[in-house]
Amino acid sequence: VTTGPLFPGGVVIIGTGLIGTSIGLVLRERGAGVWLADGDPRTARLAASLGAGELLPADVPGPAGAAALAPPPGGAADLAVLAVPPDAVASVLAAAQAAGLAACYTDVASVKAQPLAAVRGLGCDLASYVPGHPLAGRELSGPAAARADLFLGRPWALCPGPETAKSAVTSVTALVRACGAEPVTVEAGEHDRWVALVSHAPHLVASAMAARLADAPSGALTLAGQGLRDVTRIAASDTGLWAQILMANAAGVSEVLAAVAEDLRVAAVALAEAQAGGVASGGEPRKRLTALLDAGGAGVARIPGKRGAPATPYAIVQVVIPDLPGELARLFQAAGEAGINIEDIRIEHSPGLPAGVTELAVNPPAAPALAAALTARGWPAHIPESTGNPEQAGV
Amino acid sequence: VTTGPLFPGGVVIIGTGLIGTSIGLVLRERGAGVWLADGDPRTARLAASLGAGELLPADVPGPAGAAALAPPPGGAADLAVLAVPPDAVASVLAAAQAAGLAACYTDVASVKAQPLAAVRGLGCDLASYVPGHPLAGRELSGPAAARADLFLGRPWALCPGPETAKSAVTSVTALVRACGAEPVTVEAGEHDRWVALVSHAPHLVASAMAARLADAPSGALTLAGQGLRDVTRIAASDTGLWAQILMANAAGVSEVLAAVAEDLRVAAVALAEAQAGGVASGGEPRKRLTALLDAGGAGVARIPGKRGAPATPYAIVQVVIPDLPGELARLFQAAGEAGINIEDIRIEHSPGLPAGVTELAVNPPAAPALAAALTARGWPAHIPESTGNPEQAGV
């Protein structure tokens, strides 16, 4: 329900890494004009070639590799997005405002209080600046990893202050909505304490667990399962950027980490006591371990599910299909011939095996007919009894 | 490539939780006869009604709730699978062997040395027993969560000793292969040290991080993203079972946890020093943080990808489809009309949004034609520049 063109004066994106390029892809898909700039002109050119926007003509390397900034040909843009690391936000904002780049500004850094303090220190205009932070990312970085759906359904923190103009908040909120994200308004310091808990400390916890694997016997790694992959996945991210993020949110992250470290130390001691004491000491150490496991379960239960995901009204039909060219197309053809619409599909890949399990979601009354049609054509299909919670269906 | 019927004498499964029932589902799909028993007859009946096998006739509650065991009607089975918690393995094996239940035996407990010691202590026959451990699971438990594909492509540790008969190893290996899993032969004590590192310690690390969320401000949880969900996911599992597993592998888990706790404590101190010292102290604490982040990255890099997953030779076409009934079927129909086989499909769900991004894998020469065919029919389709690593394509 748009009431007019999105950002008729265009948007400038400074910094064309994963986040900046993804924002450009969304805005171009929505028909907005996008101008791209990056301190590294090759990165900006790659983002432009991916369809994230046009190069800002003034994007020529200035002294010390910094891009020289000037407004787009048509004059100041409606909005400039500073998609640069936390340490660079203040200086880039100062340069952008000095050049009269846009009517208002936002950034996407993962910490907010320290960049905001630096922005104040440089005497930037605070009325036109809305600090922002989209809670989205990938293990991959750079423009080539960008995708227009990166922000879909994700929270996007906005930290306007008393000085912030209402028009700037309106404009940045329109950007967040255009990206399909959910704006969450929060004070900058509180934002930092929140992300220390839900993003920054978990990152270091994943790193500390993964670090144990660096010198592990390779046999141990043959037993690695999905649980280990999940616990350690985010530790594979850009080390330099994360060191910067953690240093910029040091107090909050330190507090959470110290508490996690102490809980783990206590658990290690409890286990060592149980080992030393045998069954005799079993009760007390087990009680301490169970308390930590219970607290963990209670914590996980508080994490909201994916936002707005409706309870699916569909029934699931599982079908085992050979990993052969064209099998999926034949499967859909068979469903079509049986007059059944397939509403969704999930394929459980079966690495190294000649077959995979595919789950087809259909309207419940159609499930038995689909299973029968597939079975008749030679695919083993069945309807699992319990298809209760699709969020938990993956291992 | 079967050379005869699988387990012509049938398989008895004692314990019809998630693992036992899943094994039953696989064996029934493969045509083997399966007999089910559980200390809780309701659980066994549920597993039987799900198609995991027939109830073992002698499965009547004995004294103290234990099932009385007797061979199936046709005589001793080829194999008995003891899918019971670690603490119960030895007593159930002793009872099963005393009843002459099967020609050979295996278990599925997550620890191996302590149950094996108990088995020796009870004077069980070691020739017919192969300790086993499938590295597979879900956050859900019980027979209703079982699935025949639970073990596909997963490692399955087997710990035969010098006393183990070759015929028993052959039989249990056939079970592992029938489940689509990969047998990994390892000595029991070494198995326990390996899983302490790749499974048990990660579980408590996830719990300790998740425990921080139990009393967190609810605003913080609105900023929770996929990273936090992944790090903490396994902490949602059965607390009682995990306390038992951890206590049974206390020494190995304690050692890993103590090291992780110390790394996190050092990181917390480094961050606190950085906070206290400002920029002046920045270099040294940042160096220590970066070292931990780098070690974490090196550890993650050692986790093998899903086994045997071949590098995909396919090109990806991304297409945005409305969340409307039948859209997927129409999409496949359009691809079929263009003469293009779709080899694989992944749908990125877009919670709360009216559209989703679907990735279609096709042979590279067909990608531009598919994108053109879809665009011509009104779906926005494009071929991303970089489709390098499909393992990392999900956020």
Side-chain angles (χ1 to χ4, degrees):
Chain A
V1 191
T2 45
T3 53
L6 190 67
F7 300 118
V11 176
V12 173
I13 296 173
I14 303 180
T16 55
L18 170 66
I19 301 290
T21 305
S22 294
I23 294 172
L25 291 175
V26 177
L27 291 173
R28 290 298 302 129
E29 277 192 10
R30 302 288 302 266
V34 177
W35 299 98
L36 304 170
D38 196 287
D40 177 354
R42 289 167 308 177
T43 302
R45 279 199 296 273
L46 177 52
S49 77
L50 292 170
E54 293 175 54
L55 291 176
L56 191 65
D59 183 32
V60 293
L69 293 172
D78 289 336
L79 174 66
V81 179
L82 316 183
V84 297
D87 290 359
V89 167
S91 61
V92 173
L93 179 62
Q97 289 185 338
L101 209 60
C104 61
Y105 302 86
T106 189
D107 73 309
V108 301
S110 307
V111 287
K112 300 268 61 87
Q114 193 175 91
L116 185 56
V119 160
R120 286 182 199 278
L122 292 182
C124 296
D125 171 46
L126 291 171
S128 62
Y129 169 55
V130 185
H133 174 207
L135 277 287
R138 308 182 63 184
E139 298 80 71
L140 306 175
S141 59
R147 44 196 309 165
D149 62 335
L150 189 67
F151 310 102
L152 283 178
R154 306 285 181 179
W156 189 315
L158 296 178
C159 309
E163 310 92 334
T164 317
K166 199 176 161 185
S167 60
V169 175
T170 303
S171 183
V172 176
T173 303
L175 172 72
V176 173
R177 297 268 185 217
C179 290
E182 294 284 333
V184 176
T185 303
V186 53
E187 187 270 328
E190 188 151 51
H191 165 277
D192 288 1
R193 287 187 294 277
W194 287 358
V195 293
L197 186 63
V198 300
S199 172
H200 301 168
H203 194 98
L204 266 174
V205 168
S207 294
M209 184 62 239
R212 290 297 111 205
L213 306 173
D215 300 315
S218 54
L221 291 160
T222 63
L223 297 186
Q226 196 53 43
L228 181 70
R229 284 195 192 90
D230 283 353
V231 170
T232 58
R233 182 182 59 83
I234 55 175
S237 308
D238 179 334
T239 296
L241 176 62
W242 271 93
Q244 193 177 122
I245 291 169
L246 296 165
M247 295 293 283
N249 199 11
V253 178
S254 176
E255 193 183 324
V256 179
L257 284 188
V260 174
E262 178 60 12
D263 278 352
L264 289 175
R265 190 192 64 78
V266 168
V269 169
L271 286 164
E273 281 173 16
Q275 178 69 17
V279 179
S281 76
E284 184 48 41
R286 185 188 283 243
K287 228 179 274 175
R288 274 178 276 156
L289 270 188
T290 303
L292 182 57
L293 292 168
D294 283 340
V300 170
R302 293 196 65 203
I303 303 176
K306 291 183 184 175
R307 310 183 153 230
T312 173
Y314 301 131
I316 299 296
V317 176
Q318 290 181 335
V319 52
V320 178
I321 60 167
D323 186 15
L324 294 173
E327 278 296 298
L328 275 170
R330 280 194 282 277
L331 189 109
F332 271 84
Q333 195 187 346
E337 283 168 15
I340 294 162
N341 280 337
I342 292 174
E343 309 295 348
D344 198 357
I345 176 172
R346 170 164 47 201
I347 300 173
E348 299 244 348
H349 291 278
S350 317
L353 287 168
V357 176
T358 297
E359 294 193 341
L360 304 170
V362 295
N363 283 319
L370 177 61
L374 297 177
T375 306
R377 284 166 178 83
W379 287 290
H382 78 282
I383 304 169
E385 289 269 324
S386 165
T387 59
N389 186 345
E391 287 294 318
Q392 294 182 279
V395 174
Chain B
V1 191
T2 45
T3 53
L6 190 66
F7 300 119
V11 175
V12 172
I13 296 174
I14 303 180
T16 54
L18 171 66
I19 301 292
T21 305
S22 294
I23 293 173
L25 290 176
V26 176
L27 291 173
R28 290 297 302 128
E29 276 192 11
R30 303 288 300 266
V34 177
W35 299 96
L36 305 170
D38 196 286
D40 177 353
R42 289 166 308 175
T43 302
R45 279 198 298 272
L46 176 54
S49 77
L50 291 170
E54 293 175 55
L55 290 177
L56 191 64
D59 182 31
V60 292
L69 292 173
D78 288 337
L79 174 66
V81 179
L82 317 183
V84 298
D87 289 0
V89 167
S91 61
V92 172
L93 179 62
Q97 289 184 338
L101 208 61
C104 61
Y105 301 85
T106 188
D107 73 308
V108 300
S110 307
V111 288
K112 300 269 60 88
Q114 193 175 91
L116 186 57
V119 161
R120 286 183 200 278
L122 291 182
C124 296
D125 171 45
L126 290 171
S128 62
Y129 169 54
V130 185
H133 174 208
L135 276 289
R138 307 182 65 184
E139 298 81 71
L140 305 175
S141 59
R147 45 196 307 167
D149 62 336
L150 188 66
F151 311 102
L152 282 179
R154 307 284 182 180
W156 189 315
L158 296 178
C159 308
E163 311 91 335
T164 317
K166 199 177 162 184
S167 59
V169 175
T170 302
S171 182
V172 176
T173 302
L175 171 73
V176 173
R177 297 266 185 220
C179 290
E182 295 284 332
V184 175
T185 302
V186 54
E187 188 270 327
E190 187 152 52
H191 165 277
D192 287 1
R193 287 187 294 277
W194 288 359
V195 294
L197 185 63
V198 301
S199 172
H200 301 166
H203 195 97
L204 266 174
V205 168
S207 294
M209 185 62 240
R212 291 295 111 207
L213 307 173
D215 300 316
S218 55
L221 292 159
T222 63
L223 297 186
Q226 196 54 43
L228 181 69
R229 284 195 191 90
D230 284 353
V231 170
T232 59
R233 182 181 60 83
I234 54 175
S237 308
D238 181 333
T239 296
L241 176 62
W242 271 94
Q244 191 177 123
I245 291 169
L246 295 165
M247 294 293 283
N249 198 11
V253 178
S254 176
E255 193 183 324
V256 180
L257 284 188
V260 173
E262 178 59 12
D263 278 352
L264 289 176
R265 190 192 65 76
V266 168
V269 169
L271 286 163
E273 282 174 15
Q275 178 68 15
V279 178
S281 76
E284 186 48 40
R286 183 187 286 242
K287 229 178 271 174
R288 273 178 275 155
L289 270 188
T290 304
L292 181 58
L293 291 168
D294 283 341
V300 170
R302 292 196 65 203
I303 303 176
K306 293 180 180 175
R307 312 186 151 230
T312 173
Y314 300 133
I316 299 296
V317 176
Q318 291 181 335
V319 52
V320 178
I321 59 167
D323 186 14
L324 294 174
E327 278 295 298
L328 275 170
R330 281 194 283 278
L331 188 110
F332 271 86
Q333 195 187 345
E337 283 168 13
I340 295 162
N341 280 337
I342 292 175
E343 310 295 349
D344 198 355
I345 177 171
R346 171 164 46 202
I347 299 173
E348 299 247 346
H349 290 279
S350 318
L353 285 168
V357 175
T358 298
E359 294 193 342
L360 304 169
V362 295
N363 283 320
L370 177 60
L374 297 177
T375 305
R377 283 164 178 83
W379 288 290
H382 77 282
I383 304 169
E385 287 271 321
S386 166
T387 58
N389 187 345
E391 289 293 320
Q392 295 182 279
V395 174

